[in-house]
C-alpha cells in the first residue's frame, strides 16, 4: 500500500481540494480510501458488522486551508449499536507496514499528548439527531473539575470521505492501553482495562480485578474492615467522582463502564468516563424518572439488570457515604452550577454552529431551536433535582440535608 499512497492521495484529493464545498470553518479531516474497500460488498461501511474489517488509506488534517499532516493508515468502523447508522464512527490506526507507527502531532492543541498510534473520528452516535455534543459536553464539565476520573479529549472537525462531505465529527482519543499510558506516564504493558466491571478489554491480566469483583459481590461492604481492604485496591475518590458524574449525566447506558489500573504507579483501580450519548434526558421513556433510583436504587440497575454491586454496596458504608455526600456538595458548588454547565454547552455550540448548517444527517433549525434547548433545559437546575433524588435514595432527613448541602 505504501507504494500506492501518493497516487491514491493525489488521485482522490486532487478532486476534493478543487470541488465546490461548503464554506466550512472547522478544521477539515479527510479520509482517502479506495471506493471498493469502503463501499463495496465487503467494504467497511457496507459490511459494518465485521468488526475485524479494515480499509487501508490515508488521513489528512487541514486548518485554515493549510495541510497539517497526511498519514497512511487503516480505517475501521467502531461503535456497538451505532455502527448501524448511516453516519458511522471510524477508528484511524497507524502501523509501520503502512508507513509510520505513530502520528507525531499536537492533535488536541494543548501540548499535553503529541504522539498517537491512532484516534477515533466520532460521529455523535445516539446523539446525532439530537444535540450532537452530549458526550463531549459531559467530558468538558468533568475534566475541568476532577483528575480522579479519566476523560477523553476531543476536537470538533468536519469530515470528508474521498469527495463526499459527511458532516461534523469529533476527533477523540481511542480508549486502550496507550490512552491510559499517555495520561499516567506509564508503559502500555502495565495497563489493564476492564469493561462493564466484568470483562477484560485490554491488557494481559485482569485477575486482580476479578478477585476484587468477587469480593465486592460476596461481602458486606458496610463492614469497616471490608471497606478498608477495598480502599487499598480501588481509588475511592475515583469511584465517588465517577458515580456522581454518571448520575448527573443521567447516563442510562449504565453497563458501559470502564475501570483500569497500571502496575507501575500505586496499582489502584480507577474509573474513566465513557460514552454519555444516551444521557441528559435523551430517551423519552426515562423522562421524569428518578435517575438515582434507576442507576443505584437496586442491586441490579436499570432496564438490563446491570450488576452495580460496587456503588450499591458502598453507599451502605457509613464512611463512604459521608465522603460521597460531602464530595457531592463540592460538585454542586463547583462543576455543576448553572453558569458553568451553560458555558460548556456554549463553548461547543460556538465551535460547531456554522458547520452544522451543512450537516447531512440533521436539520440545522431543529438542532439549534429544539435539540440544544432541550439539553440546556435539562442540565440547568439539575443540582436541585439531584438533591431531591439523593434524599429519597438514601432516606436523608432534613437535618442531614442541611448538614451536607446547607
Amino acid at each position: 500500500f505504501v507504494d500506492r499512497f501518493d497516487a491514491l492521495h493525489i488521485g482522490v484529493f486532487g478532486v476534493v481540494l478543487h470541488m465546490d464545498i461548503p464554506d466550512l470553518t472547522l478544521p477539515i479531516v479527510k479520509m482517502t480510501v479506495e471506493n471498493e474497500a469502503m463501499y463495496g460488498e465487503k467494504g467497511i461501511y457496507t459490511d459494518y458488522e465485521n468488526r475485524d474489517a479494515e480499509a487501508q488509506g490515508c488521513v489528512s488534517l487541514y486548518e485554515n486551508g493549510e495541510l497539517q499532516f497526511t498519514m497512511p493508515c487503516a480505517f475501521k468502523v467502531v461503535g456497538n449499536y451505532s455502527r448501524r447508522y448511516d453516519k458511522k464512527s471510524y477508528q484511524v490506526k497507524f502501523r509501520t507496514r503502512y508507513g509510520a507507527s505513530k502520528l507525531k502531532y499536537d492533535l488536541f492543541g494543548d501540548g499535553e499528548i503529541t504522539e498517537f498510534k491512532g484516534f477515533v473520528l466520532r460521529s455523535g452516535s445516539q446523539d446525532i439527531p439530537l444535540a450532537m455534543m452530549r458526550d463531549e459536553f459531559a467530558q468538558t464539565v468533568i475534566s475541568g473539575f476532577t483528575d480522579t476520573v479519566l476523560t477523553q479529549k476531543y476536537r470538533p472537525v468536519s469530515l470528508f470521505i474521498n469527495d463526499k462531505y459527511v458532516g461534523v465529527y469529533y476527533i477523540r482519543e481511542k480508549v486502550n492501553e496507550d490512552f491510559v499510558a499517555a495520561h499516567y506516564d506509564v508503559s502500555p504493558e502495565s495497563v489493564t482495562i476492564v469493561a462493564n466491571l466484568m470483562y477484560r478489554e485490554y491488557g494481559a491480566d485482569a485477575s486482580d480485578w476479578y478477585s476484587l469483583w468477587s469480593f465486592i459481590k460476596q461481602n458486606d461492604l458496610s463492614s469497616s474492615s471490608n471497606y478498608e481492604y477495598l480502599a487499598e485496591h480501588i481509588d475511592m475518590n475515583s469511584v465517588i467522582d465517577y458515580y456522581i458524574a454518571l448520575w448527573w449525566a443521567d447516563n442510562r447506558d449504565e453497563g458501559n463502564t470502564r475501570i483500569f489500573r497500571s502496575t507501575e504507579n500505586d496499582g489502584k483501580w480507577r474509573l474513566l468516563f465513557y460514552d454519555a450519548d444516551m444521557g441528559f434526558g435523551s430517551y423519552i421513556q426515562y423522562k421524569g424518572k428518578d435517575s438515582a433510583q434507576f442507576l443505584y436504587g437496586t442491586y441490579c440497575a436499570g432496564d438490563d439488570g446491570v450488576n452495580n454491586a460496587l456503588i450499591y454496596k458502598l453507599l451502605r458504608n457509613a464512611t463512604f457515604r459521608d465522603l460521597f455526600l460531602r464530595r457531592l456538595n463540592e460538585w454542586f458548588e463547583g462543576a455543576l452550577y448553572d453558569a458553568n454547565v451553560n458555558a460548556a454547552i456554549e463553548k461547543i455550540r460556538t465551535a460547531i454552529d456554522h458547520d452544522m448548517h451543512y450537516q447531512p444527517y440533521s436539520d440545522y433549525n431543529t438542532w439549534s431551536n429544539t435539540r440544544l434547548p432541550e439539553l440546556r433545559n435539562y442540565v440547568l437546575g439539575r443540582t436541585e433535582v439531584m438533591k431531591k433524588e439523593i434524599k429519597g435514595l438514601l432516606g436523608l432527613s432534613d437535618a442531614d440535608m442541611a448538614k451536607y448541602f446547607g
Side-chain angles (χ1 to χ4, degrees), residues 76-94:
K76 290 184 69 173
V77 172
V78 293
N80 289 319
Y81 187 85
S82 65
R83 64 179 51 238
R84 299 172 174 85
Y85 300 164
D86 290 340
K87 187 186 182 190
K88 303 185 190 304
S89 296
Y90 302 96
Q91 182 183 356
V92 179
K93 303 174 72 173
F94 302 111

Side-chain angles (χ1 to χ4, degrees), residues 212 214-223 226 313:
L212 286 172
S214 294
F215 180 87
I216 290 165
K217 291 187 291 183
Q218 295 170 11
N219 288 277
D220 177 10
L221 299 189
S222 66
S223 160
N226 288 340
K313 288 192 167 187

Side-chain angles (χ1 to χ4, degrees), residues 61-334:
L61 174 68
Y62 294 83
E63 288 189 68
N64 300 316
E66 298 291 328
L67 177 65
Q68 301 301 304
F69 64 79
T70 296
M71 289 279 288
C73 64
F75 300 111
K76 290 184 69 173
V77 172
V78 293
N80 289 319
Y81 187 85
S82 65
R83 64 179 51 238
R84 299 172 174 85
Y85 300 164
D86 290 340
K87 187 186 182 190
K88 303 185 190 304
S89 296
Y90 302 96
Q91 182 183 356
V92 179
K93 303 174 72 173
F94 302 111
R95 293 199 178 105
T96 302
R97 69 175 181 267
Y98 299 147
S101 62
K102 291 182 180 180
L103 168 67
K104 296 183 179 180
Y105 182 79
D106 187 6
L107 198 54
F108 298 99
D110 57 12
E112 293 181 359
I113 300 173
T114 56
E115 291 190 0
F116 302 87
K117 291 184 179 179
F119 57 86
V120 172
L121 292 166
R122 200 163 189 272
S123 65
S125 191
Q126 288 94 343
D127 203 32
I128 293 169
L130 302 175
M132 257 297 292
M133 65 168 67
R134 271 176 167 78
D135 188 63
E136 292 73 23
F137 160 62
Q139 303 273 351
T140 299
V141 173
I142 296 162
S143 64
F145 185 70
T146 178
D147 59 4
T148 69
V149 176
L150 185 54
T151 55
Q152 294 169 269
K153 298 176 185 292
Y154 69 89
R155 183 181 189 183
V157 296
S158 276
L159 177 65
F160 284 82
I161 300 178
N162 295 337
D163 61 348
K164 182 180 180 181
Y165 177 58
V166 293
V168 173
Y169 273 68
Y170 295 95
I171 298 176
R172 300 294 296 269
E173 295 174 281
K174 171 63 179 174
V175 173
N176 55 23
E177 308 101 308
D178 296 309
F179 164 68
V180 174
H183 281 269
Y184 283 86
D185 194 23
V186 296
S187 69
E189 295 75 21
S190 74
V191 174
T192 299
I193 302 176
V194 175
N196 303 344
L197 301 182
M198 292 183 281
Y199 311 109
R200 179 179 60 82
E201 187 172 37
Y202 296 101
D205 184 11
S207 57
D208 180 75
W209 176 256
Y210 294 151
S211 296
L212 286 172
W213 186 234
S214 294
F215 180 87
I216 290 165
K217 291 187 291 183
Q218 295 170 11
N219 288 277
D220 177 10
L221 299 189
S222 66
S223 160
S224 295
S225 59
N226 288 340
Y227 174 76
E228 289 168 5
Y229 170 77
L230 209 59
E232 292 175 0
H233 298 274
I234 302 174
D235 184 337
M236 289 300 168
N237 291 323
S238 181
V239 172
I240 289 169
D241 280 350
Y242 173 80
Y243 281 105
I244 289 174
L246 187 74
W247 168 32
W248 164 71
D250 189 24
N251 191 354
R252 304 293 174 133
D253 193 9
E254 70 283 353
N256 204 356
T257 301
R258 300 294 185 276
I259 195 165
F260 68 91
R261 76 160 183 166
S262 167
T263 56
E264 290 179 358
N265 49 28
D266 62 8
K268 287 189 175 184
W269 292 90
R270 293 174 171 85
L271 287 134
L272 67 91
F273 193 85
Y274 189 80
D275 191 359
D277 296 311
M278 291 178 65
F280 301 111
S282 59
Y283 278 68
I284 189 70
Q285 66 266 36
Y286 300 137
K287 289 187 177 180
K289 293 185 178 180
D290 187 313
S291 54
Q293 286 288 346
F294 181 94
L295 294 170
Y296 311 140
T298 57
Y299 187 81
C300 291
D303 291 340
D304 299 322
V306 174
N307 193 325
N308 64 346
L310 179 61
I311 185 63
Y312 179 84
K313 288 192 167 187
L314 282 173
L315 283 172
R316 280 140 186 85
N317 179 278
T319 299
F320 179 88
R321 186 163 158 160
D322 179 70
L323 291 172
F324 184 92
L325 292 170
R326 293 184 187 280
R327 180 59 169 166
L328 179 59
N329 191 54
E330 292 177 358
W331 276 82
F332 287 163
E333 295 182 347

